Amino acid sequence: MPTVSFTDNLQRHVSCPPIEVRGATVRAALDAAFDAYPTLRGYVLEDDGSVRRHITVWVAGEPVADRRGLTDSVNENDEVYVMQALSGG
Amino acid sequence: MADSDLLVATRKGLFIYGRTGGAWRVKHRAFIGDPVINVLHDPRDGARYAALKHGHFGPKLHRSDDGGVTWDEIATPAYPERPADREPDLCPMRGTEIEWKLDMVWELGIDYAHQGGLWAGTMPGGLFHSANRGGSWELNWPLWDRPGRKKWMGGGFDLPGIHSILTRPDAPAHITVGVSCGGAWSSDDGGASWEIRAKGMLATFMPPDQQDDPDAQDPHLIAWCAAQPDTLWTQHHCGIFKTTDGGKRWHEIKDAGPSTFGFAVAVHPADPDTAWFVPAVKDEHRVPADGRFVVTRTRDGGQSFDVLTSGLPRGEAYDIVYRHALALRGDGSTLAMGSTTGSLWVSSDQGDTWEHVSAHLPPVYAVKWG
């Protein structure tokens, strides 16, 4: 199963240790993580479901291409990292 | 009147001051390191609300039910999805899309019509209502759907926003809001319908034939006299304006000491002729005139202004007081203000003399009495 991990800086606001999820796309994987950590959704995504401007999501070592639809594929053993972009200050 | 707390929202946290031992001291601090945009004390139940805007993680709201010792995150307003049959909103100045998503909660207000009722003024221009102390929020569609909103634009920010929310317990169905940029709007039916009330304001940043367009006005803050709420004052981007008929017609105050530009305004709760401002050089400069930081006060409805300096910096100073960072307590005498350079002052005599409480806070976004 893919693993979703979140930047340590999020832990200060919402407890969200790494979690194994089911999901073949970034959207599905993140939705599964948000089911476990409901408060987290608004910290990572905008109202319209796109990735926040100063958040970056990486899958298997590459930044995701589709930041709005989150349609990038996630494979069985991939690691999904939700990180801060330095542009956010 | 018993001593009140002073709630100071800053770029790096919230500081709650109390008066103890003859001095203002920090009683509680919260959200250290995080931008706290604004704060609200609800006198009905003592709850305190804080609006944060994290650089990476976006806007969030928190509530404290113990005076600010502990805080719990509550729901954050969220914009609905724009219907497919509605054209995108475009900034009238730049043509860029104004997306339907929350950028910032700029102001919080009390809805006296409902126990636990709250209003939230936001960027990009949505007014939200909560009936349950911030447990959930709904966009006020009647204001959002007003055709005039298409003319709203950012003033100092990329996006338009609601910064003033005026409500009162003796007329709970009445609401007045101020928008930068988008004028002043009032509702007499609890937000079910809205009327723009910005006639007489003048936006000199617009082309000459559109400078009196009510929708294009940039009131930086609107305040009213609680005992005579038909008298409102605004520190507008292009000067100081006052109305005595509830906003049907505004009149410009053309002379007010060093300048008529600034952000903040406070109005005496019982005397509609008494108001305070913190002047600066317009409009991209945004520094005190001649590097001299002062407060101005009128006691005759704007015919004349006192320039108040006692206790304020004697030498050069480049403090700016943002729109939410000047607050008058309900006693009508005690003022507090915080500045962009992290100073905090309190005056107990209507601004005649000021006590310098701190010179070392983070940049101050908002000051409220609680």
Side-chain angles (χ1 to χ4, degrees), chain B residues 191-278:
Chain B
S193 64
W194 294 87
E195 179 182 325
I196 190 161
R197 293 183 186 169
K199 198 173 178 183
M201 295 183 192
L202 198 65
T204 56
F205 49 82
M206 295 293 286
D209 62 339
Q210 296 176 50
Q211 292 185 355
D212 61 353
D213 182 347
D215 287 297
Q217 302 304 318
D218 184 12
H220 286 171
L221 192 77
I222 301 172
W224 65 16
C225 172
Q228 294 188 42
D230 278 346
T231 296
L232 299 99
W233 294 74
T234 181
Q235 174 61 73
H236 185 284
H237 190 89
C238 302
I240 294 170
F241 295 82
K242 185 181 85 164
T243 174
T244 56
D245 56 12
K248 293 183 179 65
R249 183 79 201 182
W250 294 78
H251 301 276
E252 185 174 5
I253 308 292
K254 294 189 175 176
D255 295 305
S259 90
T260 57
F261 180 86
F263 296 95
V265 53
V267 181
H268 193 281
D271 177 6
D273 287 338
T274 297
W276 292 261
F277 299 85
V278 188

Side-chain angles (χ1 to χ4, degrees), chain B residues 40-49 110 112 115-118 133:
Chain B
L40 172 74
H41 174 86
D42 187 340
R44 298 172 299 180
D45 59 5
R48 289 171 176 175
Y49 297 86
I110 294 171
Y112 289 101
Q115 186 63 35
L118 298 170
R133 307 174 77 232

